[in-house]
Amino acid sequence: MNAPSISDRGPRRFGWPQRVFSQVLLMQLAIITGVTVLVTGLFLAPLSAQLDDEAMRRALAIAQSTAAQPGIAEDLRTTEASASGPVQSAAERIRRATGAEYVVVMDRRGVRWSHPETDRIGEVVSTDPGDALRGREVMEIDSGTLGRSARGKVPLYGSAGSSGSAGSSGSAGSSSSSEVVGAVSVGIEYDSVRARLLGAIPGLLAYAGGALAVGALAAYLISRRLQRQTHDLAFSDISALLTEREAMLHSIREGVVALDGTGRIRLLNDEAQRLLGLGPEAAGRPLAEVLDGGRTADVLAGRVVGDDLLAVQGGRVLLANRMETDDGGAVVTLRDRTELEHLGRELDSTTGLIDALRAQDHEHANRLHTLLGLLELEMHEDAMEFVTEVVGVHRATAEQVTEKVQDPLLAALLVGKATVAAERGVSLRLAPGTLLPDRVVDPRGLVTVVGNLVDNATDAAAGSGDARIEVGLRAEGRTVVLRVRDSGPGIAPEQYASIFTEGWSTKDLPAHGKRGLGLALVRRLAERQGGSVTVAGADGGGAVFTVVLPEALAGPETADPATAPHPATTGDNR
């Protein structure tokens, strides 16, 4: 079934592609881009906070180091606040050494004793120094006279005390005997923190761009693979095809079984469930688990190959064909031939009866003419002996055949063929040891095989000096072995391989159609049932055809083999 085109599925929606390739590619690119942006943002957010914290801790450490400098507290108490004072000199030396934006030393009133801008010395600080003057260390991001900065503030103790321990933010830094004489405030320019953050962004974006490129390439390759596997169809087309497939598979009157490469059943439509006697739960299970061996399981599993293979399952005659798929699995179709088999058996019986009656018509006409002549000549005793002999011969032949060949259809065929052969001057007899029970699985198939071989043997033996045909049928377990021997000219060994080819024949082509179908049909029927056919030369001249049909007999438990279904065959049986 041809896949429908995209244009067959209704109007398009503008702005969004219909093909699976384009949709999957766009969705994957959108997902990859979103994830990349999210990860980048999640990385930058803590990085900014980390840089802020690092700057504040650095400012606090510089402030602690400044407060620990010997002499600063004493100079704060003994000198005046001026640009040339010792406190300003010490603070500026520390600022230049550490790269801080400012180092401000203030007294308890909040008056600056040091500042990068000397004209601000002696003024009150712009931010509240209360926490530091109360003995607490402070870290913060704030704005002052020099702009936004990361700040650290620590108390400045007199000679009797000591500065607080580094890292003890928010706690008192002296003993009860210490005296806070001022505070130290250190600022780290916030623009430098932001510059570090912005400097890290290009590298981060480079990594993000690389990840985005790799993801885009992977998305493209995945989309291309999906494009090949979906034949570039739209999702709506795929959905419609699946819906149509389900409806078609479950509505057709032919069984469909799909198997994967491991022999597991992937699909089993309604008709296949009916023919195989399985339920929907069989889907997904191994074939060997749901079918307990036998020819049907062999055909479905591919252990028996060929076209129109015959199989019997649960009293039904199935015609199976198996096709391999690209992924190592297979699709098997099953057709029910049970009803056709019953009709075929009736047709075979009628055809065999017509042939026998046609042959006997000529024979009885000749015998009636003989009987009429004997009566006209008033040879009444000779006429009685003639009638007794004829009746006795026919009765003996029929009794002999039905005693050794217990299948009624096959026995009727042999009686009819014996009459036809006798009309042509050929003697047909059963071989010693012939015995076939009435348990034939496929009587019609066996009738076709025997009928074709006997017809060919009759044609070959007719006209020879001692024209005779010998038919042997015997059972070996459930296997039937058939041998047909004739007294004809035989077949050259180099032709053994070609005589079963369709169209091969030693006779002239008839006006009404083909010749050379009989032996080809025999081989096809034998191979369908898992058997074989061979030919060899017979002792004293002629040819011997041997057909071996495994499992051609039903088990002894079969109640009524005559009514059991039998595999249907195709082609002309004559």
Side-chain angles (χ1 to χ4, degrees), residues 127 192 212 248 266 270 274 347 384 434 442:
T127 58
S192 65
L212 183 62
M248 178 185 66
R266 288 193 295 200
D270 296 343
R274 184 182 72 86
L347 179 60
M384 291 179 61
T434 294
D442 180 20

Side-chain angles (χ1 to χ4, degrees), residues 6 100 258 317 335 349:
I6 296 176
V317 180
R335 281 174 284 172
S349 299

Side-chain angles (χ1 to χ4, degrees), residues 200-213:
I201 290 178
L204 181 62
L205 292 180
Y207 284 111
L212 183 62

Side-chain angles (χ1 to χ4, degrees), residues 472-551:
L473 281 163
R474 73 174 189 274
E476 297 180 355
R478 296 184 60 182
T479 300
V480 172
V481 179
L482 164 67
R483 282 191 175 86
V484 178
R485 175 178 176 178
D486 64 70
S487 61
I491 300 172
E494 61 270 13
Q495 294 180 328
Y496 287 170
S498 59
I499 61 173
F500 298 104
T501 304
E502 184 174 334
W504 186 93
S505 179
T506 59
K507 292 168 278 191
D508 296 334
L509 181 67
H512 63 276
K514 292 184 178 181
R515 186 177 289 280
L517 297 176
L519 293 178
L521 181 61
V522 168
R523 183 180 68 172
R524 186 172 65 180
L525 292 173
E527 290 179 349
R528 274 190 197 174
Q529 300 182 48
S532 63
V533 56
T534 57
V535 62
D539 296 337
V544 178
F545 287 84
T546 303
V547 181
V548 179
L549 301 175
E551 299 186 8

Side-chain angles (χ1 to χ4, degrees), residues 355-424:
D355 288 340
L357 291 175
R358 185 184 298 114
Q360 290 179 1
D361 177 61
H362 295 286
E363 184 178 359
H364 286 306
N366 293 331
R367 290 171 179 170
L368 287 175
H369 292 158
T370 303
L371 181 60
L372 180 60
L374 290 174
L375 293 176
E376 288 181 350
L377 295 174
E378 297 183 355
M379 301 173 63
H380 301 292
E381 293 183 0
D382 293 335
M384 291 179 61
E385 291 178 1
F386 178 73
V387 171
T388 302
E389 179 183 357
V390 169
V391 172
V393 169
H394 278 277
R395 182 182 296 116
T397 301
E399 289 177 354
Q400 180 188 25
V401 171
T402 54
E403 180 183 356
K404 296 185 176 181
V405 180
Q406 299 173 5
D407 182 84
L409 188 63
L410 194 58
L413 172 74
L414 291 175
V415 171
K417 292 296 183 183
T419 303
V420 174
E423 186 183 43
R424 300 183 59 182

Side-chain angles (χ1 to χ4, degrees), residues 3-4 19-21 24 223-235 237-238 241:
R19 296 187 306 165
V20 172
F21 167 75
V24 172
S223 299
R224 288 290 297 176
R225 178 176 177 83
L226 286 176
Q227 182 184 31
R228 290 192 299 268
Q229 292 183 338
T230 60
H231 302 286
D232 204 21
L233 294 174
F235 280 117
D237 297 328
I238 297 175
L241 286 174

Side-chain angles (χ1 to χ4, degrees), residues 157 160 173-179:
Y157 295 97
S174 63
S175 63
S176 59
S177 62
S178 301
E179 179 187 1

